[in-house]
Amino acid sequence: MPVVTMPKLSDTMVEGTLTRWCKAVGDKIETGEVLAEVETDKATMEMEAFDDGTISEFYVKPGQVVKIGDRIALILAEGETAGSAADAPEEKPTTSAAKPGRPTAARVALPKAPSPTARAVASSARVKASPLARKIAAARGINLATLVGTGPSGRIVKRDVENAPMGGGSAVSSQPLIRAMRGIAGEEKVIPLTGMRKTIAERLLASKTQIPHFYLSVTVDGGPLMELRKELNAMAEKNAGEKLTINDFILLAAARAAAEVPKINAAFDGDAIVEFSEVNLGVAVAIEDGLITPVIRKANLLSLREISAQMKELAIKARDKKLKPEEYQGGTITLSSLGGFGIEDFLPIINPPQSFILGIGAITKQPVVTEHDLVTVGHRLVISASGDHRVIDGAVAAGYMNALRRLVEKPALLLM
């Protein structure tokens, strides 16, 4: 029987946290039964057994961070012993939905966790990079895992390393200042970074330091949208249907505007710009320990009710950490909304390898001047955007924002 190893469960995963065992040592297990739950940088996923047998050993404890490919358990076939299985070739398990069984504690002592430096070196070794880029990175102390490659297929090349901050932008340089503060800034609470929080820190640092952001915003008349939503929700209430949110309208408007201006739905690929035929809309969802962006696929082809239903389902899965990889990978443009928190205007950071992200504020009542020069109360919404200037020019982004404004201010178009 093979030794069970930690699989790669997401596109950016380099290590996972085994949150709990769903079986105990000595239990029999069949193919397809859930062996463990693993928290990746994106979600908590169930890992199934890939063969029948009896669980002989666990090599990690719940809460242990494990690198991809490291062994985590041993399953023996009938009549097989741990000694006879020790030299068996390792196989990778598969993952899919299943019902968890009972958890247990690990019975084997664990090796000491690697140091941050060792983890950075191992992480860099797994990244696609040219030999010259690796040499420069090693000399400058740059963690390649924190960089976004601009070479073919996202490969990190010389210019990416040369343009990166020393040390790869890690938090090491700020540690002396933090140490000086400790003990004089009141009571301390040290919160270890989760896998998701580490990934957010690395990817957004890389985005802000390597992608030339530019920003623009428009102020939109939210009155017609508010009125249409009120009418549709009144009809839904009579028919026991689901109510629509402001975001549902904006999601659909953002996706359809991207279909109208396809140059916005693109990414930078080193020596080329890739325009995508499908508008896969990533939507930022705040969860307990970070942020995740589930993806609504072919969003521009959906109806208002369809996009509303999909968003509700994905948000629930995201908060329960039950998203599958295909439900948070492959986004081509992202929308982040803080309107529900009372934020009126903000500038979001691009989510690489995408090139465009929208920031949606709250609809507020404001004094506005009518076409007859009269001052009245109106509903106004600020929509901001951040673009990658390597891919998108200001005129293209302006064209997109005007298309989006038209759809939001004339929301009946979204029902067609």
Side-chain angles (χ1 to χ4, degrees), residues 247-270:
N247 257 16
D248 294 335
F249 288 88
I250 297 175
L251 288 171
L252 186 55
R256 292 194 179 174
E260 286 185 30
V261 187
K263 287 185 177 180
I264 214 79
N265 195 46
F268 187 73
D269 190 20

Side-chain angles (χ1 to χ4, degrees), residues 204-224:
L204 293 189
L205 175 64
S207 174
K208 196 64 176 174
T209 56
Q210 297 177 54
I211 295 177
H213 284 56
F214 73 96
Y215 310 96
L216 65 172
S217 61
V218 292
T219 300
V220 176
D221 181 2

Side-chain angles (χ1 to χ4, degrees), residues 252-265 276-279 299-301 333 400 403 407:
L252 186 55
R256 292 194 179 174
E260 286 185 30
V261 187
K263 287 185 177 180
I264 214 79
N265 195 46
F276 302 103
S277 59
E278 296 179 358
V279 180
N300 60 301
L301 302 181
I333 184 173
Y400 171 84
L407 291 170

Side-chain angles (χ1 to χ4, degrees), residues 1 27 36 95 162 202 215 257 281 288 358 411:
M1 272 295 186
D27 282 356
T95 58
E162 290 180 336
E202 290 179 353
Y215 310 96
L281 187 62
E288 184 178 354
L358 290 167

Side-chain angles (χ1 to χ4, degrees), residues 314-336:
L314 288 170
I316 291 171
K317 285 186 176 182
R319 294 187 179 108
D320 291 341
K321 293 189 175 181
K322 296 297 183 184
L323 287 173
K324 298 176 182 177
E326 61 268 24
E327 292 175 319
Y328 58 75
Q329 295 175 0
T332 59
I333 184 173
T334 292
L335 183 147
S336 178

Side-chain angles (χ1 to χ4, degrees), residues 236-252:
E237 192 171 356
K238 289 181 181 179
N239 299 318
E242 290 286 335
K243 290 189 176 182
L244 297 164
T245 68
I246 295 296
N247 257 16
D248 294 335
F249 288 88
I250 297 175
L251 288 171
L252 186 55

Side-chain angles (χ1 to χ4, degrees), residues 6-313:
M6 176 62 74
K8 184 168 184 174
L9 300 175
S10 78
D11 56 337
T12 56
M13 176 183 173
V14 295
E15 60 187 15
T17 302
L18 195 141
T19 56
R20 76 182 186 108
W21 290 108
C22 300
K23 291 286 186 177
V25 170
D27 282 356
K28 292 187 179 298
I29 192 166
E30 297 180 354
T31 302
E33 283 191 274
V34 175
L35 175 62
E37 290 185 357
V38 176
E39 180 186 350
T40 71
D41 56 333
K42 300 287 189 180
T44 298
M45 305 184 69
E46 295 173 330
M47 188 175 76
E48 292 185 354
F50 49 88
D51 216 331
D52 301 341
T54 300
I55 298 172
S56 172
E57 290 186 78
F58 289 142
Y59 300 124
V60 299
K61 294 178 181 178
Q64 173 78 25
V65 177
V66 188
K67 292 189 183 70
I68 293 172
D70 284 1
R71 64 181 190 170
I72 60 174
L74 178 65
I75 300 175
L76 302 178
E78 186 175 352
E80 192 174 30
T81 65
S84 65
D87 297 326
E90 294 184 355
E91 296 181 23
K92 293 183 179 180
T94 57
T95 58
S96 63
K99 295 181 179 180
R102 58 190 175 90
T104 183
R107 69 174 192 143
V108 179
L110 298 169
K112 184 178 178 182
S115 67
T117 301
R119 282 199 300 268
V121 171
S123 181
S124 290
R126 284 186 287 269
V127 174
K128 289 192 299 183
S130 69
L132 180 57
R134 291 188 184 278
K135 182 178 179 180
I136 298 172
R140 297 189 178 187
I142 294 173
N143 181 1
L144 290 175
T146 67
L147 306 185
V148 175
T150 61
S153 302
R155 184 181 179 89
I156 294 173
V157 293
K158 176 184 175 183
R159 62 176 174 270
D160 301 321
V161 183
E162 290 180 336
N163 292 333
M166 295 296 286
S170 70
V172 175
S173 60
S174 66
Q175 285 183 352
L177 297 176
I178 293 172
R179 292 194 197 101
M181 290 175 61
R182 299 188 70 170
I184 62 173
E187 209 170 309
E188 297 174 1
K189 182 179 180 182
V190 179
I191 305 171
L193 292 179
T194 63
M196 176 178 287
R197 198 76 249 172
K198 289 177 185 176
T199 299
I200 290 172
E202 290 179 353
R203 287 176 63 82
L204 293 189
L205 175 64
S207 174
K208 196 64 176 174
T209 56
Q210 297 177 54
I211 295 177
H213 284 56
F214 73 96
Y215 310 96
L216 65 172
S217 61
V218 292
T219 300
V220 176
D221 181 2
L225 190 156
M226 297 281 282
E227 286 297 320
L228 180 59
R229 174 177 174 262
K230 183 178 179 180
E231 292 178 20
L232 293 177
N233 282 346
M235 294 171 58
E237 192 171 356
K238 289 181 181 179
N239 299 318
E242 290 286 335
K243 290 189 176 182
L244 297 164
T245 68
I246 295 296
N247 257 16
D248 294 335
F249 288 88
I250 297 175
L251 288 171
L252 186 55
R256 292 194 179 174
E260 286 185 30
V261 187
K263 287 185 177 180
I264 214 79
N265 195 46
F268 187 73
D269 190 20
D271 56 358
I273 293 173
V274 180
E275 285 187 17
F276 302 103
S277 59
E278 296 179 358
V279 180
N280 294 335
L281 187 62
V283 187
V285 175
I287 59 178
E288 184 178 354
D289 57 348
L291 193 73
I292 193 167
T293 52
V295 176
I296 302 174
R297 300 191 176 279
K298 300 182 181 180
N300 60 301
L301 302 181
L302 300 179
S303 69
L304 185 59
R305 291 289 179 187
E306 287 171 337
I307 208 166
S308 176
Q310 284 201 30
M311 187 62 249
K312 287 182 174 66
E313 181 182 355

